[in-house]
Amino acid sequence: MIKLTALQKDALGELLNIGMGRASASLSEMVGEEVELSVPHVNILPYKEAVNSVSENVGKEVTAVRESFKGAFWGDALLLFPENQSLQLVKALLKDQELPIEILSEMEQEALTEVGNIILNACLGSLSNIFEQNLEFELPKYSHGSCSEVLKQDKRTLQDQHNEGVLLLQMNFSLEKTKVNGYLTLLMDVDSMEALSKQLSIYFGGAV
Amino acid sequence: MTENTMLIVDDSGLSRMMIKKFAQASKPNWQIIEAEDGEDALKKCQGQDIDYMTVDYNMPGMDGLTLCIKLRELFPQAKISLLTANIQNSVKDRADELGVIFIQKPVTEDKIKTFIHS
């Protein structure tokens, strides 16, 4: 299985940190409270282990917004919430709208999709700007279910290559007042990982 | 005095709801037209005189910048903003080239107020 050097891992973690910093500023603007961030986790794992790792963090049942991206590197970006926490976030988001709880529940899917879109775009957009490479995003998709179902790929990208491992970039964020924890996860296949390593090398002038 | 008309194009109903709410807080008498994608926008703005527009970038069908080009031809005097989560410099640069104001999501009252008073 392909390996990243300690320096490459460090560089990826730092870039994710910058991307997530931007994303958390957007989230904070939306809910009007401070967002706490974890340290970034960077791992290359067999696909099944990657799913297990996400499941251990987020829980077996999750709510997710997924956005696939392509360009100089490619993969899937997911914003994951433990099953019972997504409505809390929607409530915080729409707190000034004075909507009854039935309407809030109805709007949950739509609101989360838009939150996911903003957070994932902020994170990936800052990576794209750092590398000076354009990325194209698919429309955000909402899903809900078991962690393995939600992470399952409907395209060639990860499924065909799961033996070679996937790059898993993960960072957790939490809203203390609203009591919501979310997980931003980037999954990339081996070819994309190599393309990303090339970008890292260009960006750090060959030092990484 | 004739009131202005504002076109809001966004595939997210939530975003449209918030933009509309913030616009009406500043300009309660403005006419607001909502559209959920580019095609819907072009259909709904026929026969209208649009003064202000907010256009999302990532939507089903044509993207927001393609729509901005078409809207600019139809309404050369209108103030157009690209209101998007896509913060890539390449998108901002293309918006600049088209004379479209770039506004980063999330939607806030201040951002909408600044736009409609620009």
Side-chain angles (χ1 to χ4, degrees):
Chain A
M1 202 161 70
I2 187 173
K3 278 188 178 157
L4 289 173
T5 64
L7 207 53
Q8 281 175 321
K9 270 191 171 187
D10 184 44
L12 275 176
E14 187 49 28
L15 291 173
L16 182 64
N17 205 18
I18 294 169
M20 201 52 210
R22 185 73 190 253
S24 64
S26 297
L27 179 61
S28 174
E29 201 175 353
M30 283 186 272
V31 294
E33 68 174 285
E34 197 182 330
V35 179
E36 279 187 36
L37 296 175
S38 75
V39 291
H41 297 281
V42 180
N43 273 312
I44 295 177
L45 297 166
Y47 178 67
K48 266 192 181 159
E49 280 183 38
V51 173
N52 288 342
S53 165
V54 174
S55 179
E56 271 168 31
N57 272 319
V58 194
K60 284 206 163 66
E61 292 288 313
V62 297
T63 303
V65 181
R66 174 200 294 262
E67 231 168 71
S68 301
F69 58 94
K70 58 182 182 186
F73 52 98
W74 55 94
D76 286 298
L78 293 114
L79 188 69
L80 299 156
F81 296 98
E83 195 197 13
N84 51 359
Q85 290 189 13
S86 50
L87 187 59
Q88 280 300 108
L89 181 65
V90 174
K91 276 186 196 163
L93 185 75
L94 298 173
K95 61 184 180 303
D96 298 329
Q97 306 288 322
E98 292 165 6
L99 297 170
I101 185 77
E102 311 86 70
I103 305 282
L104 274 179
S105 302
E106 271 173 33
M107 290 202 78
E108 185 179 357
Q109 188 170 330
E110 176 132 24
L112 269 186
T113 307
E114 185 61 2
V115 170
N117 184 40
I118 292 170
I119 291 179
L120 297 173
N121 266 273
C123 181
L124 290 168
S126 42
L127 295 187
S128 141
N129 289 343
I130 287 167
F131 291 129
E132 295 178 359
Q133 294 287 343
N134 190 39
L135 293 176
E136 280 176 41
F137 305 114
E138 281 183 13
L139 293 171
K141 286 188 197 121
Y142 172 95
S143 57
H144 177 81
S146 72
C147 198
S148 54
E149 275 299 309
V150 163
L151 289 180
K152 211 161 91 183
Q153 301 299 301
D154 48 13
K155 282 179 293 178
R156 183 204 74 88
T157 46
L158 294 174
Q159 251 176 355
D160 292 354
Q161 304 204 8
H162 57 202
N163 292 330
E164 297 172 71
V166 291
L167 173 65
L168 175 68
L169 295 169
Q170 229 187 340
M171 211 157 156
N172 308 349
F173 61 88
S174 58
L175 301 168
E176 206 179 315
K177 249 195 285 172
T178 313
K179 301 202 182 338
V180 170
N181 292 295
Y183 302 83
L184 183 124
T185 301
L186 301 182
L187 284 168
M188 285 174 230
D189 64 24
V190 168
D191 291 342
S192 174
M193 208 184 313
E194 280 171 354
L196 180 61
S197 301
K198 218 177 273 174
Q199 292 299 323
L200 280 176
S201 174
I202 295 168
Y203 180 69
F204 289 103
V208 170
Chain B
M1 199 183 96
T2 319
E3 291 293 348
N4 285 327
T5 300
M6 181 172 175
L7 172 70
I8 299 170
V9 193
D10 202 307
D11 58 327
S12 161
L14 175 81
S15 282
R16 291 198 305 273
M17 182 182 89
M18 301 192 67
I19 298 165
K20 186 177 174 178
K21 182 186 158 183
F22 295 145
Q24 285 180 330
S26 279
K27 302 284 181 186
N29 297 323
W30 280 19
Q31 186 195 348
I32 308 273
I33 299 171
E34 290 183 55
E36 59 184 34
D37 59 33
E39 218 167 288
D40 191 29
L42 291 172
K43 215 188 310 168
K44 285 181 175 161
C45 70
Q46 273 175 17
Q48 300 283 344
D49 194 6
I50 315 274
D51 307 285
Y52 288 81
M53 309 173 190
T54 67
V55 178
D56 184 21
Y57 178 70
N58 217 9
M59 295 184 288
M62 74 182 84
D63 68 58
L65 283 169
T66 307
L67 177 63
C68 284
I69 294 171
K70 291 178 191 284
L71 290 170
R72 174 60 78 219
E73 278 173 18
L74 292 170
F75 306 100
Q77 303 302 321
K79 285 217 158 72
I80 308 180
S81 66
L82 190 73
L83 210 171
T84 176
N86 193 324
I87 57 162
Q88 295 184 80
N89 292 336
S90 52
V91 173
K92 282 185 197 167
D93 292 346
R94 278 161 62 209
D96 277 351
E97 282 164 21
L98 293 172
V100 167
I101 299 164
F102 183 91
I103 305 175
Q104 187 191 329
K105 280 188 178 178
V107 179
T108 62
E109 186 159 7
D110 280 349
K111 289 177 191 174
I112 300 299
K113 209 190 249 178
T114 305
F115 171 60
I116 60 184
H117 288 103
S118 62

